[in-house]
Amino acid sequence: MNEEINISSEEKRLRSGEAARAPDFAVQPSYVRTVFLGPEGLRAGWGLAFYVAMFYLLQFVVAQLAGSLKLGASELWPMMLEELGVVVAAAAPSAVLARVEKRPWGVYGLPGREAFGKLFWIGVVWGFASITLLLGAMYGLRVFDAGHLAMHGVRILKFAAFWAVFFLLVGFFEEFLSRGYSQFTLTRAIGFWPSAVVLSCLFGLMHLQNAGEQWPGLLAVAGIGFFFCLTLRRTGSLWFAVGFHAAWDWGETFVYSVPDSGTLFPGHLLKSSFHGPRWLTGGMVGPEGSVLCFVVIAAVWVTFDRVYRDVKYEVAREESLTQRTQGDHRVEL
């Protein structure tokens, strides 16, 4: 009789929704899972660490292959192949991480639907106009002389095409490495503008490896990188920045035939020269080393800010420790 009463009481308790709860440890996610995964998937710190490690590994392989190609070769094509290789090295890890994080690859700054579209060509116009403005100001101050043609005939078209493709690859590589997956992931951790400052400084330091580079040029490169962060913020993609970057370098190296971050490349159009103090001309660093470069950066920043007012780049921040439910012992990198 007592047993029947107990069973009846148990049935009533279950029917009233008062079922026994599982112990806390049974419903908590595993420690390993919480270390690596958060509400938005793979934690930003681990994603960025994996991306950087894989990029440097792939870049090392590319450098070794490029070194073997350059043995006994004086042509520019090995340099082109090396640039293509580092583009792959920058993009491939992000493609892997896109699958891990279950995101479309385009969210990292280069959506395929916008490839070589309106934004890209507007960026090309802005980039070429900006380097023209900078060297035009130097010409007006009589510290830059365009000289005369250094080549003629079909060679002009051949080198114009070569450098256009080469600097397009440079634009893809440097923009995606500095403001693609890295910007997206670091924004998840610390926000857009703090990550923009960090990555723009690193972008400037990347150019330390260029022969003849000096601190004014590094500051200018960092400033241009910070401007590219603004273009990403306002357009929602890197296509404007890629077009601007490629056109600036192409105009600087081929058309106006001046040093680019400390390097004077062969196959340039003009026999141009600088005449004047290094702080004004940039000297062997090139136009990026000139104080006038900062004036141009400021001018394009203000103009772009007024033309493109809407923010189109939004990345959700990771949930912080203080926002988590008590008892959920998750760990954030």
Side-chain angles (χ1 to χ4, degrees), residues 1-12:
M1 182 70 178
N2 290 336
E3 184 177 353
E4 291 178 359
I5 293 173
N6 289 338
I7 293 173
S8 178
S9 299
E10 181 67 17
E11 287 178 350
K12 289 179 180 179

PDB file of all heavy atoms in Angstrom, residues 1-12:
ATOM      1  N   MET A   1       0.829  -1.213   0.000  1.00  0.00           N
ATOM      2  CA  MET A   1       0.000   0.000   0.000  1.00  0.00           C
ATOM      3  C   MET A   1       0.861   1.259   0.000  1.00  0.00           C
ATOM      4  O   MET A   1       0.625   2.201  -0.736  1.00  0.00           O
ATOM      5  CB  MET A   1      -0.927  -0.023   1.240  1.00  0.00           C
ATOM      6  CG  MET A   1      -1.857   1.176   1.304  1.00  0.00           C
ATOM      7  SD  MET A   1      -3.111   1.111   0.017  1.00  0.00           S
ATOM      8  CE  MET A   1      -4.028   2.578   0.397  1.00  0.00           C
ATOM      9  N   ASN A   2       1.910   1.271   0.822  1.00  0.00           N
ATOM     10  CA  ASN A   2       2.837   2.422   0.873  1.00  0.00           C
ATOM     11  C   ASN A   2       3.550   2.615  -0.449  1.00  0.00           C
ATOM     12  O   ASN A   2       3.810   3.718  -0.896  1.00  0.00           O
ATOM     13  CB  ASN A   2       3.859   2.223   1.997  1.00  0.00           C
ATOM     14  CG  ASN A   2       3.226   2.335   3.364  1.00  0.00           C
ATOM     15  OD1 ASN A   2       2.182   2.982   3.484  1.00  0.00           O
ATOM     16  ND2 ASN A   2       3.834   1.722   4.369  1.00  0.00           N
ATOM     17  N   GLU A   3       3.871   1.472  -1.103  1.00  0.00           N
ATOM     18  CA  GLU A   3       4.567   1.555  -2.392  1.00  0.00           C
ATOM     19  C   GLU A   3       3.683   2.204  -3.438  1.00  0.00           C
ATOM     20  O   GLU A   3       4.121   3.014  -4.247  1.00  0.00           O
ATOM     21  CB  GLU A   3       4.970   0.147  -2.842  1.00  0.00           C
ATOM     22  CG  GLU A   3       5.788   0.151  -4.137  1.00  0.00           C
ATOM     23  CD  GLU A   3       6.231  -1.243  -4.502  1.00  0.00           C
ATOM     24  OE1 GLU A   3       6.016  -2.175  -3.703  1.00  0.00           O
ATOM     25  OE2 GLU A   3       6.783  -1.389  -5.595  1.00  0.00           O
ATOM     26  N   GLU A   4       2.376   1.876  -3.412  1.00  0.00           N
ATOM     27  CA  GLU A   4       1.453   2.470  -4.359  1.00  0.00           C
ATOM     28  C   GLU A   4       1.324   3.965  -4.134  1.00  0.00           C
ATOM     29  O   GLU A   4       1.247   4.753  -5.073  1.00  0.00           O
ATOM     30  CB  GLU A   4       0.069   1.806  -4.227  1.00  0.00           C
ATOM     31  CG  GLU A   4       0.057   0.370  -4.702  1.00  0.00           C
ATOM     32  CD  GLU A   4      -1.313  -0.240  -4.498  1.00  0.00           C
ATOM     33  OE1 GLU A   4      -2.203   0.481  -3.975  1.00  0.00           O
ATOM     34  OE2 GLU A   4      -1.499  -1.393  -4.885  1.00  0.00           O
ATOM     35  N   ILE A   5       1.333   4.370  -2.867  1.00  0.00           N
ATOM     36  CA  ILE A   5       1.250   5.797  -2.541  1.00  0.00           C
ATOM     37  C   ILE A   5       2.477   6.522  -3.049  1.00  0.00           C
ATOM     38  O   ILE A   5       2.400   7.612  -3.629  1.00  0.00           O
ATOM     39  CB  ILE A   5       1.088   5.994  -1.028  1.00  0.00           C
ATOM     40  CG1 ILE A   5      -0.261   5.457  -0.572  1.00  0.00           C
ATOM     41  CG2 ILE A   5       1.245   7.463  -0.640  1.00  0.00           C
ATOM     42  CD1 ILE A   5      -0.438   5.455   0.932  1.00  0.00           C
ATOM     43  N   ASN A   6       3.671   5.893  -2.883  1.00  0.00           N
ATOM     44  CA  ASN A   6       4.932   6.498  -3.351  1.00  0.00           C
ATOM     45  C   ASN A   6       4.940   6.658  -4.867  1.00  0.00           C
ATOM     46  O   ASN A   6       5.355   7.674  -5.406  1.00  0.00           O
ATOM     47  CB  ASN A   6       6.125   5.655  -2.906  1.00  0.00           C
ATOM     48  CG  ASN A   6       6.356   5.753  -1.406  1.00  0.00           C
ATOM     49  OD1 ASN A   6       5.918   6.729  -0.793  1.00  0.00           O
ATOM     50  ND2 ASN A   6       7.022   4.754  -0.835  1.00  0.00           N
ATOM     51  N   ILE A   7       4.462   5.633  -5.583  1.00  0.00           N
ATOM     52  CA  ILE A   7       4.423   5.699  -7.047  1.00  0.00           C
ATOM     53  C   ILE A   7       3.479   6.790  -7.496  1.00  0.00           C
ATOM     54  O   ILE A   7       3.748   7.560  -8.402  1.00  0.00           O
ATOM     55  CB  ILE A   7       3.991   4.336  -7.633  1.00  0.00           C
ATOM     56  CG1 ILE A   7       5.082   3.287  -7.365  1.00  0.00           C
ATOM     57  CG2 ILE A   7       3.716   4.461  -9.130  1.00  0.00           C
ATOM     58  CD1 ILE A   7       4.676   1.878  -7.755  1.00  0.00           C
ATOM     59  N   SER A   8       2.360   6.867  -6.847  1.00  0.00           N
ATOM     60  CA  SER A   8       1.389   7.895  -7.197  1.00  0.00           C
ATOM     61  C   SER A   8       1.951   9.286  -6.975  1.00  0.00           C
ATOM     62  O   SER A   8       1.782  10.189  -7.794  1.00  0.00           O
ATOM     63  CB  SER A   8       0.116   7.695  -6.358  1.00  0.00           C
ATOM     64  OG  SER A   8      -0.819   8.708  -6.655  1.00  0.00           O
ATOM     65  N   SER A   9       2.674   9.467  -5.896  1.00  0.00           N
ATOM     66  CA  SER A   9       3.286  10.768  -5.606  1.00  0.00           C
ATOM     67  C   SER A   9       4.334  11.115  -6.653  1.00  0.00           C
ATOM     68  O   SER A   9       4.450  12.261  -7.094  1.00  0.00           O
ATOM     69  CB  SER A   9       3.916  10.744  -4.199  1.00  0.00           C
ATOM     70  OG  SER A   9       2.938  10.506  -3.221  1.00  0.00           O
ATOM     71  N   GLU A  10       5.099  10.106  -7.060  1.00  0.00           N
ATOM     72  CA  GLU A  10       6.143  10.342  -8.081  1.00  0.00           C
ATOM     73  C   GLU A  10       5.530  10.756  -9.402  1.00  0.00           C
ATOM     74  O   GLU A  10       6.000  11.651 -10.090  1.00  0.00           O
ATOM     75  CB  GLU A  10       6.977   9.072  -8.243  1.00  0.00           C
ATOM     76  CG  GLU A  10       8.121   9.183  -9.271  1.00  0.00           C
ATOM     77  CD  GLU A  10       9.189  10.143  -8.800  1.00  0.00           C
ATOM     78  OE1 GLU A  10       9.231  10.467  -7.581  1.00  0.00           O
ATOM     79  OE2 GLU A  10       9.978  10.607  -9.650  1.00  0.00           O
ATOM     80  N   GLU A  11       4.420  10.079  -9.770  1.00  0.00           N
ATOM     81  CA  GLU A  11       3.742  10.411 -11.022  1.00  0.00           C
ATOM     82  C   GLU A  11       3.212  11.828 -10.992  1.00  0.00           C
ATOM     83  O   GLU A  11       3.312  12.578 -11.969  1.00  0.00           O
ATOM     84  CB  GLU A  11       2.595   9.419 -11.260  1.00  0.00           C
ATOM     85  CG  GLU A  11       3.078   8.035 -11.658  1.00  0.00           C
ATOM     86  CD  GLU A  11       1.919   7.077 -11.838  1.00  0.00           C
ATOM     87  OE1 GLU A  11       0.779   7.465 -11.467  1.00  0.00           O
ATOM     88  OE2 GLU A  11       2.133   5.973 -12.353  1.00  0.00           O
ATOM     89  N   LYS A  12       2.659  12.208  -9.853  1.00  0.00           N
ATOM     90  CA  LYS A  12       2.134  13.571  -9.734  1.00  0.00           C
ATOM     91  C   LYS A  12       3.243  14.603  -9.870  1.00  0.00           C
ATOM     92  O   LYS A  12       3.077  15.645 -10.484  1.00  0.00           O
ATOM     93  CB  LYS A  12       1.427  13.735  -8.390  1.00  0.00           C
ATOM     94  CG  LYS A  12       0.108  12.979  -8.282  1.00  0.00           C
ATOM     95  CD  LYS A  12      -0.507  13.178  -6.911  1.00  0.00           C
ATOM     96  CE  LYS A  12      -1.826  12.410  -6.802  1.00  0.00           C
ATOM     97  NZ  LYS A  12      -2.425  12.588  -5.458  1.00  0.00           N
TER      98      LYS A  12
END
